[in-house]
Amino acid sequence: MSLNTTHLNQSLTHFDHHSSFWLFGYGSLIWKAGFPYLECRPAHIRGWIRRFWQGSHDHRGTPESPGRVATLIPEAQAICHGMAYRITPETLAPLDVREKNGYLREVTTLHFDDGGSAEGLTYIATRDNAAFLGPAPLENIARQIALARGPSGPNPDYLLNLADALRRLGHRDEHVFALERMLTSLLKEQAPPTDP
Ligand code: BEZ
């Protein structure tokens, strides 16, 4: 699949005729929506795990030094916690552009943490997209994140903010938290010594 998924996403018309619908965020959307919304509610989706397996050449890295950001990988019985936003259809167009680096809209069932469920959308970077990096030893992923920065800022901020946001929501994600521990110690090693 081509690197730029904007046009593919804009040909997907689910929810176009709804006055509002739910969008599930599991990455940067948890801590920084950056778009207008009508309400937000902690929620989860079933059958997916969050993994730092997607390359970021345009936000948290560059083509020469790509960062790593979150995508969802199918896994039976898994639960991925995040945040649901009720939005209007016009909100999707700028998101399609912002998330053009391989993410595609996917229709999914959102389960609200305080009960109830709704059909909605999420963005997933699937294995066949050109920026997909896939699995690697956690230490290698943490090292790659430590070194990358792009137009949206340092790649470490993405991971550290996500880990913080999940903790504030009261959810554990061992993949994210293990990467956070490794990254924190790498950043300490890299920090210049302070004066005595
Ligand atoms: C997110 O859920 O934070 C997200 C949104 C768009 C693309 C990838 C992830």
Side-chain angles (χ1 to χ4, degrees):
M1 192 200 304
S2 106
L3 203 56
N4 190 331
T5 43
T6 309
H7 292 296
L8 259 174
N9 276 321
Q10 291 181 348
S11 67
L12 304 173
T13 53
H14 328 88
F15 303 110
D16 271 10
H17 301 294
H18 292 227
S19 56
S20 69
F21 59 91
W22 290 95
L23 175 69
F24 179 74
Y26 57 89
S28 60
L29 294 193
I30 298 185
W31 50 275
K32 183 180 168 204
F35 52 75
Y37 56 86
L38 305 167
E39 59 179 310
C40 71
R41 292 169 72 181
H44 59 273
I45 58 174
R46 297 179 181 159
W48 298 94
I49 47 170
R50 181 177 11 239
R51 289 290 179 264
F52 273 76
W53 289 4
Q54 175 68 0
S56 179
H57 308 82
D58 58 347
H59 279 297
R60 297 286 171 171
T62 61
E64 298 72 36
S65 174
R68 277 189 179 249
V69 290
T71 186
L72 294 175
I73 304 294
E75 186 168 294
Q77 317 300 332
I79 290 184
C80 178
H81 290 279
M83 187 63 81
Y85 297 90
R86 190 160 65 82
I87 61 172
T88 57
E90 312 80 73
T91 304
L92 282 185
L95 266 177
D96 288 338
V97 175
R98 174 174 137 186
E99 303 305 340
K100 64 183 185 306
N101 201 195
Y103 288 92
L104 279 180
R105 299 180 193 175
E106 168 94 12
V107 177
T108 187
T109 304
L110 283 63
H111 301 270
F112 300 108
D113 290 359
D114 60 0
S117 64
E119 288 303 286
L121 285 182
T122 192
Y123 283 90
I124 296 181
T126 51
R127 290 174 186 271
D128 59 350
N129 88 85
F132 190 78
L133 296 176
L138 282 184
E139 175 147 3
N140 297 12
I141 296 181
R143 283 187 189 283
Q144 184 172 354
I145 292 173
L147 293 176
R149 80 159 33 235
S152 299
N155 202 181
D157 288 2
Y158 177 105
L159 170 60
L160 300 176
N161 283 326
L162 176 59
D164 247 19
L166 288 170
R167 249 190 309 277
R168 270 184 275 115
L169 286 171
H171 296 305
R172 295 202 59 75
D173 181 323
E174 260 320 307
H175 176 77
V176 174
F177 290 175
L179 284 173
E180 180 197 34
R181 285 193 295 276
M182 286 178 193
L183 177 66
T184 305
S185 67
L186 285 170
L187 295 178
K188 276 195 194 126
E189 281 169 22
Q190 282 173 12
T194 49
D195 288 335

